[in-house]
Amino acid sequence: MPSTSKTDLPHDRVWNFSAGPSVLPQSVLEEVQRDLLNYKGHGMSVLEMSHRSKVYGSIISDAEATLRRVLKVPANYSILFLQGGGTGEFAASYLNLMASRAVREKQQKLGKPLACDYIVTGAWSKSGLKEVKKLGANVNVVLDGVKSAATGETAYSGLPPVSEWNLGKPEETAYVYYCENETVHGVETPANFVVDAVDPSVPVICDMSSNMLSRPVDVSRFGAIVAGAQKNMGPAGVSIAIVRKDLLERDESDPEVTRNLPSVLDWCYFDGAASMPNTPPTFSIYVCGLVFKWVEKQGLETMEKIRDERAKMVYDIVDAHPEFFHGLVDKKFRSAMNLVFTLPSADLEAKFIAEAADRNMIQLKGHRSLGGIRVSLYNAMPVEGAKAFAAFMKQFYENNHRQAH
């Protein structure tokens, strides 16, 4: 629990390092607060508003337009507001790609099932692989972690050289899937690292749930980008898919095309109804729209500069004392969003978390499957938060490193 004492932050807030749901921009929260009871003079809250109303129609269309501007999404891509989170998109990505005319014609020409290539760099891409296996996908595992030359053991600590990848032949591959930032293991794939390695004829499907809007991205190089909102884009409850429109083309006359594709996962169903074939997560989309405007004011180049500045503050302490703060990821692939490390003992980790909480720094415990410490530095975390945390790390080291030996 955080300290019950007053903090130096506005509204007595804490430094929230949660991996998700996560910190939101203070100015966005204040705007939501101002308009909560009566949105822009319409006499009701967005929480109460019909999604079929003109007012809400303008909210969702403005959110889409803002995101399109921020990411420079080309006209031949659709932006969809969905439900089911990144986990729902594990299945949706596979089911929609395999229903597309382009993939089905390619498979028919090949005369056998196309392979779905999966790049596994941590817990979330591994979950995506598990999901499509359950659905009957013909899976080709391109890589699954990195094998240590010293021990021979495999770990999620980066990516091997592209020369060691097991990419399928382009004419035999439906798509390539990867997760760009692994929130559990703290592995982040450098921009363009995967798309540079994949034949341009093969659609690349990228889960950007936890580093979306943190740096510029060339959307035109992807078949689809999917992301849950609750890291960098807004509150939990909405996910987003940015899909190249040719991948939404289907042979609608053949009932087999969508026989096993539930409507709630059907990108075409949502695309044809402006993301509202049923009631969308209205409030979450509204807040996302405000976050998109907040990002737009700064620009993605500035967001990237700030994210790198925040991460460097923490990694500098880790690198200065590697015998005490043990980093788990190859430096080339360390995440700027989710920074993971361990301390010399479980007791010291518990003490670190407790003392941080006394200083109003919360949600630092590593994922239950990995342990250790995880500090999440998403877009809305001010540089001052990272600076305060780095100062705490330094002080904790000074006070405790001798007992660790």
Side-chain angles (χ1 to χ4, degrees):
M1 293 294 290
S3 169
T4 55
S5 63
K6 294 286 186 179
T7 76
D8 293 329
L9 301 178
H11 311 291
D12 290 324
R13 287 169 59 78
V14 298
W15 295 121
N16 176 15
F17 297 105
S18 172
S22 57
V23 60
L24 289 167
Q26 182 176 312
S27 61
V28 167
L29 291 173
E30 288 171 344
E31 182 170 349
V32 170
Q33 184 184 47
R34 286 195 301 270
D35 288 339
L36 186 62
L37 292 179
N38 186 344
Y39 175 74
K40 309 298 184 189
H42 291 284
M44 70 182 81
S45 172
V46 175
L47 287 163
E48 306 166 293
M49 197 175 286
S50 168
H51 63 294
R52 300 300 182 197
S53 67
K54 289 183 179 180
V55 177
Y56 191 77
S58 67
I59 289 174
I60 192 170
S61 63
D62 189 42
E64 178 187 336
T66 306
L67 183 59
R68 189 175 291 275
R69 290 193 304 272
V70 170
L71 287 175
K72 299 178 181 176
V73 178
N76 64 320
Y77 282 74
S78 292
I79 297 177
L80 309 175
F81 294 100
L82 308 164
Q83 298 182 62
T87 298
E89 295 310 300
F90 293 157
S93 297
Y94 165 70
L95 293 171
N96 282 280
L97 265 290
M98 300 311 291
S100 73
R101 179 182 287 116
V103 170
R104 289 177 70 85
E105 288 179 350
K106 185 177 182 180
Q107 184 163 269
Q108 187 176 21
K109 181 179 179 181
L110 183 65
K112 63 179 182 179
L114 291 171
C116 303
D117 278 12
Y118 275 72
I119 295 172
V120 182
T121 53
W124 289 112
S125 48
K126 193 174 188 69
S127 294
L129 172 65
K130 181 180 179 181
E131 184 76 355
V132 298
K133 280 184 174 180
K134 186 169 67 175
L135 294 170
N138 177 33
V139 170
N140 172 53
V141 179
V142 177
L143 63 93
D144 189 356
V146 181
K147 184 174 287 188
S148 167
T151 66
E153 296 181 354
T154 298
Y156 295 126
S157 58
L159 285 81
V162 174
S163 60
E164 297 178 12
W165 294 13
N166 181 38
L167 284 166
K169 296 178 180 178
E171 66 272 17
E172 297 180 1
T173 305
Y175 63 88
V176 175
Y177 174 95
Y178 78 107
C179 177
E180 195 162 84
N181 185 75
E182 294 279 1
T183 59
V184 173
H185 288 91
V187 175
E188 185 171 23
T189 306
N192 299 321
F193 195 77
V194 171
V195 290
D196 282 348
V198 176
D199 188 281
S201 68
V202 179
V204 174
I205 312 301
C206 182
D207 181 345
M208 291 189 186
S209 290
S210 53
N211 68 349
M212 187 74 140
L213 300 180
S214 72
R215 63 186 182 187
V217 56
D218 185 352
V219 174
S220 70
R221 302 193 70 186
F222 295 86
I225 294 170
V226 296
Q230 68 275 12
K231 317 288 188 179
N232 270 326
M233 295 189 289
V238 62
S239 50
I240 290 169
I242 303 172
V243 188
R244 206 173 66 215
K245 289 184 177 180
D246 65 289
L247 297 175
L248 298 173
E249 295 175 2
R250 297 176 183 161
D251 182 0
E252 299 292 351
S253 65
D254 183 357
E256 290 299 318
V257 171
T258 56
R259 185 175 299 279
N260 296 313
L261 176 53
S263 294
V264 73
L265 298 179
D266 188 341
W267 290 344
C268 287
Y269 182 55
F270 279 78
D271 186 47
S275 293
M276 295 193 292
N278 63 343
T279 305
T282 53
F283 195 76
S284 294
I285 293 170
Y286 154 64
V287 179
C288 283
L290 298 180
V291 174
F292 298 159
K293 290 178 180 178
W294 177 80
V295 173
E296 185 175 33
K297 288 178 181 178
Q298 299 172 85
L300 291 181
E301 290 77 11
T302 298
M303 300 305 297
E304 182 177 34
K305 181 179 178 181
I306 294 171
R307 84 177 212 137
D308 292 345
E309 181 182 356
R310 284 190 304 251
K312 186 177 185 300
M313 289 178 181
V314 176
Y315 282 135
D316 279 352
I317 304 298
V318 171
D319 294 341
H321 308 290
E323 77 291 346
F324 191 79
F325 298 111
H326 177 58
L328 304 177
V329 180
D330 183 325
K331 289 183 180 181
K332 295 191 299 292
F333 301 103
R334 293 195 299 198
S335 173
M337 298 283 99
N338 309 101
L339 292 66
V340 296
F341 55 88
T342 60
L343 273 64
S345 70
D347 287 344
L348 273 175
E349 288 173 354
K351 184 179 182 183
F352 183 92
I353 291 167
E355 291 188 10
D358 286 340
R359 292 161 176 77
N360 296 295
M361 301 176 190
I362 68 165
Q363 299 294 325
L364 290 165
K365 188 175 182 180
H367 190 271
R368 60 186 179 278
S369 65
L370 193 65
I373 307 298
R374 173 172 59 175
V375 52
S376 296
L377 301 175
Y378 293 126
N379 281 349
M381 173 57 65
V383 170
E384 291 76 16
K387 185 176 181 180
F389 181 72
F392 165 68
M393 288 177 68
K394 187 175 182 179
Q395 186 63 56
F396 190 85
Y397 169 79
E398 294 295 338
N399 293 343
N400 293 278
H401 74 278
R402 292 177 183 82
Q403 71 183 68
H405 297 291

